[in-house]
Amino acid sequence: MCWKDDSTPTQMSLSELLPSKKEFYRLARELNDFGLEHHIAGVYDKALLGYQEAVRIRMIALKFESYKLADIADLSDASVKERCKTVRVQREELALNTADQQTQIPPLDLYHRSKSRSTCDHCSVKIEKPIRSATWMDEEESKYIDPAITLYNIGLVYQKSDRPTKATQLFSMALRVLPQASHPPLGALILYSSAQALYQAGDLKHAAHDLSQLIYTYSATVASGTSYPGDIVGLNLASAIALLGRIHFESKDFDRAAELCQEVLHLRCSVLGRRHIDTAAASYNLALVWAETGRIECIQESISLAKISLHIFISHKQASQSSAVQTSNIIQVLLTLGGLYFRDESFANATHCLNKALQLARKVASEHPSDPAKLVDVADLLFMLAQISHRQGHSFAALELYHESLQVERVFGEEHKEMALVLFSLGQIYHEVGDLGRAFEYQEHVLQLSRRHLGEQGEFLASVLTIIGNIQNERGNTEDAMARFAESERIMVQVRQPQSVENSPISLISLLGIAHNSQAIADLFQNHEIEFHPAAAAA
């Protein structure tokens, strides 16, 4: 670079030797797309480096526009062009090397059962793909679009790296950079990813706000006649509604969730057809939402929808090794379907579904012997099968299944909620068959776990104390029985302050025996998601 004697470059020499703004924009584009190739390949640290350098180059271009030439005097036209050429070659080589790699298949958009711990029930949000630079535009025209794209891509990296809060910050920056209404599809995509990240971060309120804004935008586009549900706008609208439905579902607003799920199912049927796996996912979600409403009239419709989804998932799984349908998805649907049949008292169908799911779950667990989490489904399915046997009066078959479930639960330790539920159920059956010693042993263990995890208060703790009191009374340990009843009574007086002791259901139970108030206790236990069998207490 030529300099005057006073070391101040002339305007003529700068204009001749500094790169043009277009060269800066061209290099930034190459760097964005270079980062994108690493992004697609799953090399996120190198993707970030490419994206961040693209941002830096664009900042330099802005300084160039502001005539802050002293800040960029160390960059020559030749060096920028050489860097651009090098990056382009590296990007093309990387694209060739990764062309044969199998594309990662996004998870199915399935809702998950309330309070489930199943390995197939962990929330899986379909993270969007990164975007290439706006090469269809002139560099000058795209000077605001491309920065938004790069910031969006950086946000996707953070989202993929389980840093949703950081991702939302990048998405917000991208939206601020993008001129309002300059590119509606890009703005809508960024807003959708922002809602996803907010959802992942647990900020359901702001996620729902973004989704509502997005749904309004998409709906207005469809209504305007410039687009229609048969194109990508219809599918994007369905995805936004589906995520909003998931938020309402997890917030236990089941009626609103059901309305949204019906909209998604209608859109996907219109766009994709009834046999598409995304339509099947929408059918399953609606079935699950209806089931969670607890309305008896919804059970048969839920069963029909779940069966349709199951058949489509199995067909797709069998047809292609690279199907988006995973074995865990089929286990999930079978488990839900089995639960629906159980509530409908169609025990043969429930047992069939749950045994099929158990077979698959055991296969998955055997293929991953070093991953104890794969046993969660096995334990849960054994527990549900035991409940069915117990409901049908097959006490000894239920005992065997509960003990199997207990053995699997011990893999996860002795101090968790599900262990207490299995122990409680075993205590019920031993009480039912007259083995009072074992019934006492298991219920006493449940009591200890309840005290540790729930504290010294609460209806469930009082209920367990009452059951133990009845067992002790039947064993002839009257003094201990009365002590248990008294403690139960004390807890319930605190829980239900407005009620008098004489009118307390627990007081009646302690005096007359649990058989006279079995329905009250059944309702109480169902509130705690515990299956109660009055015959066990009356034995």
Side-chain angles (χ1 to χ4, degrees):
M1 183 174 288
C2 298
W3 297 89
K4 285 188 175 182
D5 292 340
D6 60 1
S7 300
T8 302
T10 66
Q11 190 67 36
M12 180 67 72
S13 62
L14 283 173
S15 62
E16 288 177 349
L17 297 178
L18 283 177
S20 66
K21 289 185 293 183
K22 287 191 175 183
E23 290 299 332
F24 281 122
Y25 293 145
R26 191 172 293 122
L27 174 56
R29 282 181 169 182
E30 289 293 344
L31 287 165
N32 177 83
D33 294 353
F34 184 45
L36 179 139
E37 296 298 342
H38 282 297
H39 195 152
I40 293 172
V43 187
Y44 300 119
D45 54 344
K46 291 187 177 180
L48 269 180
L49 290 175
Y51 294 146
Q52 288 167 349
E53 189 178 354
V55 171
R56 186 179 70 85
I57 292 297
R58 289 198 178 97
M59 289 178 67
I60 291 174
L62 290 174
K63 290 182 177 181
F64 187 94
E65 289 185 348
S66 303
Y67 300 102
K68 296 180 180 179
L69 303 181
D71 294 335
I72 56 175
D74 58 332
L75 290 171
S76 67
D77 182 62
S79 67
V80 170
K81 286 181 177 178
E82 182 61 28
R83 176 64 175 145
C84 189
K85 180 180 177 182
T86 302
V87 171
R88 184 183 301 114
V89 171
Q90 291 175 332
R91 175 177 60 79
E92 290 171 352
E93 288 178 352
L94 182 58
L96 286 173
N97 292 335
T98 58
D100 295 332
Q101 289 185 4
Q102 188 173 6
T103 304
Q104 188 175 4
I105 301 171
L108 287 176
D109 181 22
L110 297 183
Y111 294 0
H112 309 298
R113 293 170 292 123
S114 298
K115 298 183 180 179
S116 173
R117 58 177 182 147
S118 170
T119 53
C120 69
D121 281 349
H122 295 314
C123 173
S124 298
V125 172
K126 178 186 174 183
I127 297 174
E128 297 298 312
K129 296 178 181 178
I131 306 174
R132 296 189 184 278
S133 299
T135 53
W136 66 90
M137 292 183 177
D138 177 80
E139 287 89 347
E140 184 68 23
E141 293 176 340
S142 67
K143 67 180 180 181
Y144 296 113
I145 303 293
D146 279 339
I149 288 174
T150 301
L151 289 168
Y152 173 69
N153 289 344
I154 296 174
L156 293 179
V157 171
Y158 284 118
Q159 189 182 9
K160 189 71 176 179
S161 305
D162 293 324
R163 296 179 64 186
T165 302
K166 184 69 173 177
T168 58
Q169 294 171 358
L170 269 298
F171 296 144
S172 295
M173 290 171 63
L175 287 171
R176 287 198 299 271
V177 167
L178 191 66
Q180 192 171 19
S182 67
H183 200 277
L186 178 58
L189 183 62
I190 297 170
L191 193 60
Y192 177 63
S193 290
S194 176
Q196 282 186 319
L198 287 165
Y199 167 76
Q200 288 175 292
D203 189 349
L204 302 187
K205 179 180 178 181
H206 287 100
H209 176 271
D210 282 1
L211 287 168
S212 297
Q213 181 182 343
L214 181 60
I215 290 167
Y216 175 81
T217 301
Y218 278 138
S219 299
T221 302
V222 172
S224 68
T226 57
S227 187
Y228 52 92
D231 69 358
I232 194 65
V233 174
L235 293 178
N236 288 346
L237 176 59
S239 295
I241 295 172
L243 183 54
L244 185 60
R246 185 194 289 262
I247 290 171
H248 282 282
F249 176 67
E250 293 179 6
S251 302
K252 301 191 182 302
D253 184 359
F254 299 127
D255 289 336
R256 180 56 179 151
E259 292 173 1
L260 293 166
C261 285
Q262 286 175 301
E263 288 186 50
V264 175
L265 182 57
H266 173 73
L267 280 166
R268 289 184 177 167
C269 280
S270 300
V271 177
L272 302 171
R274 294 185 177 276
R275 299 292 300 174
H276 195 278
I277 54 173
D278 288 340
T279 307
S283 295
Y284 172 77
N285 292 342
L286 181 56
L288 188 61
V289 172
W290 273 343
E292 290 286 349
T293 64
R295 299 193 189 105
I296 300 299
E297 65 270 19
C298 292
I299 292 180
Q300 286 299 325
E301 188 65 29
S302 296
I303 288 172
S304 298
L305 288 170
K307 285 172 67 177
I308 291 170
S309 301
L310 179 63
H311 293 151
I312 293 173
F313 287 165
I314 290 174
S315 297
H316 276 265
K317 179 72 173 171
Q318 292 173 342
S320 173
Q321 292 294 327
S322 59
S323 171
V325 179
Q326 302 298 312
T327 302
S328 61
N329 301 136
I330 295 174
I331 293 171
Q332 179 179 347
V333 180
L334 282 167
L335 197 156
T336 298
L337 191 54
L340 287 166
Y341 279 127
F342 183 30
R343 286 171 56 182
D344 197 41
E345 297 190 352
S346 180
F347 299 127
N349 286 329
T351 301
H352 175 76
C353 289
L354 296 175
N355 274 324
K356 286 285 187 183
L358 181 60
Q359 182 182 0
L360 291 172
R362 279 178 164 154
K363 184 175 183 294
V364 170
S366 68
E367 292 170 351
H368 301 85
S370 61
D371 185 1
K374 301 297 182 185
L375 290 168
V376 167
D377 288 327
V378 175
D380 287 349
L381 287 160
L382 285 166
F383 184 81
M384 290 183 69
L385 286 165
Q387 285 186 305
I388 293 172
S389 293
H390 199 177
R391 177 72 69 86
Q392 292 179 290
H394 304 151
S395 299
F396 292 102
L399 270 178
E400 184 177 346
L401 288 164
Y402 278 134
H403 275 294
E404 274 193 79
S405 180
L406 184 65
Q407 186 177 359
V408 178
E409 291 291 357
R410 287 198 163 113
V411 172
F412 311 111
E414 301 282 341
E415 296 286 326
H416 57 281
K417 178 183 70 175
E418 288 75 16
M419 175 69 79
L421 293 178
V422 179
L423 291 167
F424 181 86
S425 300
L426 282 166
Q428 282 185 285
I429 298 187
Y430 279 120
H431 196 179
E432 178 182 330
V433 300
D435 190 339
L436 300 180
R438 286 192 176 182
F440 173 78
E441 174 188 342
Y442 283 112
Q443 298 296 9
E444 186 68 22
H445 196 166
V446 173
L447 181 64
Q448 293 170 9
L449 286 173
S450 299
R451 289 190 194 278
R452 283 198 287 273
H453 293 287
L454 302 178
E456 294 296 326
Q457 305 299 327
E459 290 182 68
F460 179 66
L461 185 65
S463 305
V464 175
L465 282 163
T466 300
I467 291 171
I468 293 174
N470 279 297
I471 293 171
Q472 289 293 73
N473 193 39
E474 292 177 46
R475 296 175 77 194
N477 299 328
T478 308
E479 184 177 349
D480 184 58
M482 296 307 294
R484 307 287 182 151
F485 291 146
E487 186 178 359
S488 175
E489 184 79 15
R490 176 186 60 77
I491 292 171
M492 288 308 299
V493 167
Q494 292 179 341
V495 171
R496 296 172 178 167
Q497 288 289 349
Q499 291 185 321
S500 65
V501 173
E502 290 78 10
N503 293 328
S504 167
I506 297 298
S507 176
L508 288 171
I509 291 168
S510 59
L511 291 172
L512 302 177
I514 202 166
H516 292 273
N517 248 313
S518 59
Q519 187 57 51
I521 291 295
D523 293 341
L524 176 63
F525 284 9
Q526 285 169 4
N527 288 337
H528 290 276
E529 298 187 342
I530 297 172
E531 193 68 31
F532 175 68
H533 301 277

